[in-house]
Amino acid sequence: GIGLGVAKLSLAASARVTVSSSSSKRIESTVQDLKSEFPNAQLQGHVCDLSKDTIEEDLEALFQKTNQVDHIVFTATDAPAIMPVQEITREKLIAAGQVRFFAAVLVAKIGSRYLSPGPDSSITLTTGTNWQHPMPNWTAVAGYLGGTCSVARNLAVDLKPIRVNAVSPGLVKTPLWNNLMSEEEQEKICQFSAAKNPTGRVAQPEDVAEAYLYLMKDTNITGRIVSADSGALLV
């Protein structure tokens, strides 16, 4: 969803783009669709499954294929571990952070060695507004969302002069929700949220993708969390 939106905007800006996913079929179809839309695109795709115990070796292999890059955008996630506190276990808690948190830190660690030196380069992570706006049964996920904000700010110091920031989206209509609820349920939530949001709508991936492009382009911003939430935190 959001990652695809970022890829499209980057290609529209004449960037060379590498996309990565845990699914080779998804990569093939995504690359094909993007090349149909951008016939002259400099585009490649590689598999990297962030849920595996071999994540560090797999990330090293991924970046060896990309060689030097200017920007890293991390939008990887999985279905949020929404559950009552009494159902949280150590195993569930660790699993909830594998892709959205632990992998993000390791991508920054390994990927920073392949970034062009200086503040023209950047790493952009992804969090979500639940760290600011608590919701029932989101405790396991909210801790990682807030942690991503802290990690982004600290990485900006540890990896300087490379810039590190994060985007904090609100509700975005992406395929991720297809694994959690029916289309009818999604539509009800979107209608309810749109009625509350000051913008009067729920964001599409391409809307939120603009925030990532801004963070890549502005060489004077680092250690910041940019919200793209349809104004949801105002109400």
Side-chain angles (χ1 to χ4, degrees):
I2 294 175
L4 179 60
V6 175
K8 287 183 177 182
L9 288 183
S10 299
L11 290 170
S14 301
R16 290 177 291 110
V17 174
T18 298
V19 295
S20 181
S21 168
S22 61
S23 167
S24 58
K25 289 185 178 180
R26 189 179 301 125
I27 289 175
E28 290 173 8
S29 62
T30 298
V31 169
Q32 184 176 355
D33 291 344
L34 287 173
K35 285 188 173 179
S36 296
E37 188 171 348
F38 302 93
N40 299 318
Q42 297 184 66
L43 175 67
Q44 59 180 324
H46 301 295
V47 174
C48 187
D49 189 343
L50 302 177
S51 68
K52 296 167 64 176
D53 292 340
T54 56
I55 179 173
E56 292 192 68
E57 294 90 337
D58 295 340
L59 284 171
E60 195 74 55
L62 170 65
F63 282 106
Q64 285 176 358
K65 293 173 184 174
T66 65
N67 292 314
Q68 191 176 61
V69 295
D70 298 317
H71 303 282
I72 297 171
V73 172
F74 185 91
T75 60
T77 188
D78 50 12
I82 304 170
M83 69 186 94
V85 171
Q86 298 306 318
E87 293 183 10
I88 295 176
T89 63
R90 176 180 178 275
E91 290 74 20
K92 289 180 180 179
L93 201 57
I94 292 172
Q98 169 73 18
V99 174
R100 70 179 64 243
F101 182 77
F102 302 132
V105 177
L106 294 172
V107 164
K109 168 198 167 183
I110 296 169
S112 62
R113 299 200 303 267
Y114 293 85
L115 279 168
S116 304
D120 287 339
S121 295
S122 72
I123 299 172
T124 307
L125 306 181
T126 303
T127 178
T129 53
N130 286 95
W131 71 279
Q132 293 174 286
H133 188 268
M135 292 179 62
N137 302 328
W138 277 73
T139 293
V141 181
Y144 288 121
L145 297 177
T148 298
C149 299
S150 297
V151 160
R153 288 171 55 80
N154 219 88
L155 283 170
V157 175
D158 284 338
L159 299 180
K160 64 182 182 182
I162 291 170
R163 299 177 298 105
V164 184
N165 299 286
V167 175
S168 181
L171 180 64
V172 183
K173 187 71 168 64
T174 74
L176 177 66
W177 295 99
N178 295 340
N179 299 324
L180 299 175
M181 60 189 73
S182 67
E183 188 65 36
E184 183 179 354
E185 291 173 317
Q186 293 180 54
E187 187 61 31
K188 288 181 180 178
I189 289 176
C190 286
Q191 289 178 356
F192 175 78
S193 297
K196 285 178 49 181
N197 291 342
T199 61
R201 61 195 292 269
V202 169
Q204 297 296 314
E206 54 269 27
D207 301 321
V208 178
E210 293 284 357
Y212 294 85
L213 267 290
Y214 158 62
L215 291 173
M216 282 190 274
K217 290 180 176 181
D218 188 343
T219 58
N220 199 43
I221 185 169
T222 191
R224 295 299 177 185
I225 316 302
V226 174
S227 293
D229 57 15
S230 304
L233 296 178
L234 298 174
V235 294

